Amino acid sequence: MKFYLDEDLSPRLAERLRRRGVDAVSAFEVGNVQLSDREQLAYATQEGRCLVTRNARHFVLLGRDAIRRQEPHAGILLCPPSLRGSEIRALAGAIVRVAKQFPKGLGGYDVLYL
């Protein structure tokens, strides 16, 4: 399973995930800072990556919109919005568990909450 971290998450998280053997890149690393949420999801979809974000409110709506339009994505993984930078280790562990549980990735319309 591959992950794409939205710009609301630290690029340090992507680094930590890679050290744990998980294929992850951040919006910062690929130059996608300040894209709209819809553009972030489109990029993740194009790259076959599950989008990871703290922005649950907007991405739940985008997930519903994808179903309505019949435009699948590579999955959306929602993190608690109250997460702090100091909790990167715990978040990385949770994402690693998701990667192990879904090694082939999420379904085209799946939205999971951590």
Side-chain angles (χ1 to χ4, degrees):
M1 181 168 194
K2 302 187 307 183
F3 296 96
Y4 173 69
L5 280 57
D6 192 14
E7 67 184 87
D8 65 355
L9 293 167
S10 169
R12 290 182 9 224
L13 177 58
E15 293 168 11
R16 183 176 288 271
L17 288 167
R18 288 192 296 268
R19 284 195 304 266
R20 295 186 68 179
V22 174
D23 185 341
V25 296
S26 89
F28 292 93
E29 294 170 323
V30 298
N32 285 351
V33 177
Q34 298 194 6
L35 292 181
S36 71
D37 292 340
R38 188 175 298 281
E39 291 169 323
Q40 295 286 10
L41 184 58
Y43 177 83
T45 301
Q46 176 184 340
E47 296 295 313
R49 294 180 175 277
C50 174
L51 186 135
V52 184
T53 184
R54 293 186 319 169
N55 187 354
R57 187 176 63 171
H58 292 149
F59 281 95
V60 163
L61 295 175
L62 287 173
R64 287 180 187 156
D65 190 48
I67 293 169
R68 186 177 55 74
R69 292 174 178 230
Q70 296 186 350
E71 295 176 356
H73 48 73
I76 300 171
L77 186 58
L78 303 171
C79 304
S82 61
L83 205 72
R84 294 184 176 87
S86 62
E87 298 172 301
I88 287 178
R89 176 183 281 170
L91 180 55
I95 294 171
V96 167
R97 287 189 294 279
V98 169
K100 287 179 181 178
Q101 186 175 357
F102 301 96
K104 295 183 181 182
L106 298 177
Y109 299 101
D110 289 349
V111 178
L112 296 181
Y113 292 86
L114 285 181

